[in-house]
Amino acid sequence: MSGTTATDDDGTLVGIGDPYAQAQQALANIESALRRAGAALADVVRTRIYVTDIDDWKAVGRAHGEVFGDIRPATSMVEVRRLIDPDMLVEIEAVALIGDA
């Protein structure tokens, strides 16, 4: 999944000003998309996290760890200048392996 942000089912941004809440919503969106594809969080092998302020790494990392703590996919977090919406603080990509290995 690419470009997963903190939007709800109506497309409204969740957690304005709160990187932890935005990471939680983005991760919930990833989980939902995985289910629709016949996969689960346990199938995720790689995540990439983009933040607009690297000082938010602890809050975003905490949300990521709450979801992937036991799964432990390869992960990177990088600071970007901005995302498509100025209120977006976090974007998360996930790679999952589905099917026969």
Side-chain angles (χ1 to χ4, degrees):
M1 264 135 293
S2 64
T4 308
T5 57
T7 53
D8 64 15
D9 292 337
D10 297 324
T12 302
L13 184 63
V14 173
I16 292 176
D18 184 345
Y20 176 75
Q22 287 196 17
Q24 284 183 309
Q25 181 66 42
L27 292 162
N29 292 347
I30 288 170
E31 183 175 20
S32 177
L34 286 167
R35 278 195 217 141
R36 288 191 307 273
L41 289 169
D43 297 313
V44 173
V45 296
R46 173 92 166 102
T47 59
R48 291 176 186 89
I49 306 167
Y50 303 97
V51 295
T52 58
D53 185 348
I54 200 65
D55 289 337
D56 294 331
W57 73 269
K58 284 184 182 180
V60 174
R62 179 168 49 103
H64 187 276
E66 289 169 0
V67 172
F68 290 112
D70 292 333
I71 301 165
R72 305 183 67 76
T75 302
S76 58
M77 184 184 303
V78 296
E79 181 179 61
V80 294
R81 183 170 176 198
R82 64 184 178 190
L83 297 170
I84 197 160
D85 180 324
D87 289 324
M88 289 178 177
L89 306 175
V90 180
E91 181 176 305
I92 303 175
E93 296 179 358
V95 177
L97 297 179
I98 305 170
D100 296 335

